[in-house]
Amino acid sequence: MKKFLCIVFALMCVVLFVGCDFEYDYELSETKAETESTRETTKSTENTTEAVDDGKYAVGEVVETRGLKITYVSCEEYTPGEYDFFAPKDGYRFVICTFEFENTGSSDTWLSYVEFDCYADSFNCENCSWYFDNPLNATLSSGRKAVGIVAFEVPIDAKVVDLEYDIYDFFDTKRIVFVVK
């Protein structure tokens, strides 16, 4: 009887491992919101046009992953007013990026601003999305959409600023990079 149970257990393990797709790859497909083939964008924080490197997404572009459609809606610098309760540290500025997410999969998806990291000249920046209205935080059913912001405190003199969004899988984490500056 013990030998029979061992054989059944071994067969169940084989079926489980064969059924799992260890090469589960998030194919990122890009849908251009613009018709230009050069991937150019106008940044809202500066009035210049700059080409974006391949593999990074600019404002106005859409990224589709398995089960999720992400639109990079806008990115701008926030200037605190006279009556604001918070302000960036000396030598820093707030950068606010707006994203729209659509769940194209068949199961619920959880989204949050904590899944984003910001790097200014390769140094991690502080996430301060909770300071602002409408931080990205939602559970989306299939076919549902959500719009929210992510905000970071970034050095004023930073030359390269990127946002990274984590896509989790059981076996791996993939990152999508969005260009801020």
Side-chain angles (χ1 to χ4, degrees):
M1 180 70 172
K2 193 173 186 180
K3 188 175 183 180
F4 175 74
L5 289 176
C6 288
I7 291 172
V8 169
F9 179 73
L11 287 174
M12 287 176 42
C13 288
V14 168
V15 169
L16 178 69
F17 286 120
V18 170
C20 291
D21 182 7
F22 286 100
E23 296 297 320
Y24 190 71
D25 189 19
Y26 284 100
E27 295 288 330
L28 300 178
S29 63
E30 178 181 345
T31 305
K32 306 279 293 163
E34 304 167 350
T35 58
E36 301 171 354
S37 63
T38 58
R39 292 186 74 180
E40 290 185 0
T41 181
T42 302
K43 298 185 289 185
S44 62
T45 57
E46 296 178 333
N47 291 327
T48 60
T49 301
E50 170 181 307
V52 177
D53 295 333
D54 284 332
K56 295 183 178 183
Y57 297 88
V59 171
E61 292 185 316
V62 176
V63 183
E64 292 186 26
T65 68
R66 196 166 279 160
L68 203 56
K69 180 178 176 184
I70 307 166
T71 305
Y72 188 11
V73 177
S74 68
C75 185
E76 57 192 28
E77 183 175 337
Y78 175 79
T79 305
E82 180 180 349
Y83 300 105
D84 284 344
F85 292 110
F86 54 89
K89 297 181 279 194
D90 287 339
Y92 286 77
R93 63 189 169 113
F94 289 127
V95 174
I96 300 176
C97 298
T98 305
F99 291 90
E100 179 181 292
F101 285 78
E102 181 180 357
N103 183 353
T104 58
S106 59
S107 60
D108 290 358
T109 300
W110 178 74
L111 307 168
S112 178
Y113 60 85
V114 299
E115 295 176 306
F116 282 87
D117 291 311
C118 180
Y119 296 94
D121 296 331
S122 298
F123 288 96
N124 193 22
C125 297
E126 181 180 352
N127 189 326
C128 50
S129 300
W130 57 89
Y131 290 169
F132 299 95
D133 291 334
N134 198 28
L136 182 64
N137 199 15
T139 301
L140 296 181
S141 301
S142 181
R144 301 292 184 170
K145 295 181 181 181
V147 176
I149 63 108
V150 294
F152 289 89
E153 195 171 47
V154 176
I156 291 172
D157 60 349
K159 294 182 181 15
V160 177
V161 181
D162 291 330
L163 289 179
E164 292 184 358
Y165 176 69
D166 295 335
I167 300 176
Y168 296 103
D169 184 5
F170 291 111
F171 306 108
D172 198 8
T173 300
K174 304 286 184 190
R175 292 181 179 265
I176 301 172
V177 179
F178 298 97
V179 175
V180 174
K181 179 178 178 183

